[in-house]
Amino acid sequence: MKKLFIIRHAKSDWTDITLDDFHRPLSNRGIKNATFMGKLLASKNIKPDLIISSPALRAYTTAELIAKEIEHDKVITANQFIYDASVDTLQELITYISDDKEVVFLVGHNPSISSLAYLLGNLREDVPTCSIIEIDFHTDSWVNASRENSLLISYEYPKKHLKEKKS
């Protein structure tokens, strides 16, 4: 059994228009949401064997904030192919994950994150910032991870929990 958490980076800050897309930081709301989602994962005792992130500042910072909350003490792997990736590129990247890794976080960007969630988990929604999609694969090898052997376990995003608190 393999478990993949597909994570879209948190809300970015657009106030400095001189920054290029790659170097855009998180907004204050993005920092708050990434920390909140990390605490949510910690409350479920989720411990990844590997965190792979786009090297773009907003994605990597999201990965760092989540890692801090779950007390992940391993290095976060920055993978340049995640930034501006197609869904095919992300799917191929998954096949290269070492089979000794059971639980993996993949932190990236839309539209490929939403497309990957649809392709692998049959999630038919546009994934908002800081969403986390949990998918189990009934296989012992990442190379075989596909929709045919997948099960969507959970779909979490910050506004979902704000709605629940208001109810």
Side-chain angles (χ1 to χ4, degrees), residues 2-165:
K2 302 295 182 196
K3 182 180 290 287
L4 179 66
F5 289 83
I6 301 170
I7 303 171
R8 182 175 174 199
H9 67 77
K11 186 95 174 131
S12 59
D13 185 345
W14 289 78
T15 55
D16 185 350
I17 60 170
T18 65
L19 288 176
D20 64 24
D21 181 69
F22 189 85
H23 294 101
R24 242 182 313 117
L26 292 180
S27 66
N28 289 335
R29 183 176 126 207
I31 292 168
K32 181 181 167 188
N33 286 346
T35 301
F36 173 79
M37 295 304 284
K39 287 178 181 178
L40 181 68
L41 290 170
S43 74
K44 296 180 177 185
N45 202 30
I46 310 266
K47 301 286 185 188
D49 300 307
L50 175 66
I51 299 176
I52 309 168
S53 176
S54 160
L57 182 58
R58 62 195 180 277
Y60 200 83
T61 304
T62 300
E64 288 177 319
L65 290 168
I66 290 172
K68 179 181 176 188
E69 294 302 323
I70 62 172
E71 299 179 355
H72 180 78
D73 58 358
K74 300 174 187 102
V75 172
I76 296 168
T77 303
N79 186 302
Q80 66 183 358
F81 296 108
I82 298 172
Y83 180 71
D84 205 25
S86 69
V87 68
D88 292 336
T89 299
L90 292 182
Q91 190 174 20
E92 183 178 356
L93 185 142
I94 291 166
T95 68
Y96 286 104
I97 296 171
S98 175
D99 286 335
D100 67 333
K101 309 299 184 203
E102 299 296 321
V103 179
V104 175
F105 288 9
L106 175 66
V107 184
H109 312 267
N110 256 3
S112 58
I113 288 295
S114 288
S115 297
L116 187 66
Y118 172 72
L119 179 71
L120 296 178
N122 202 29
L123 183 68
R124 298 172 185 264
E125 298 181 36
D126 185 47
V127 176
T129 54
C130 215
S131 292
I132 301 176
I133 300 98
E134 177 184 3
I135 300 173
D136 279 352
F137 297 98
H138 298 279
T139 181
D140 292 328
S141 179
W142 286 104
V143 76
N144 296 323
S146 68
R147 181 185 278 186
E148 287 73 34
N149 60 21
S150 71
L151 179 63
L152 178 65
I153 302 298
S154 67
Y155 172 42
E156 304 286 354
Y157 52 95
K159 285 186 178 179
K160 176 180 176 183
H161 292 276
L162 291 174
K163 289 176 192 173
E164 289 172 2
K165 285 182 181 179

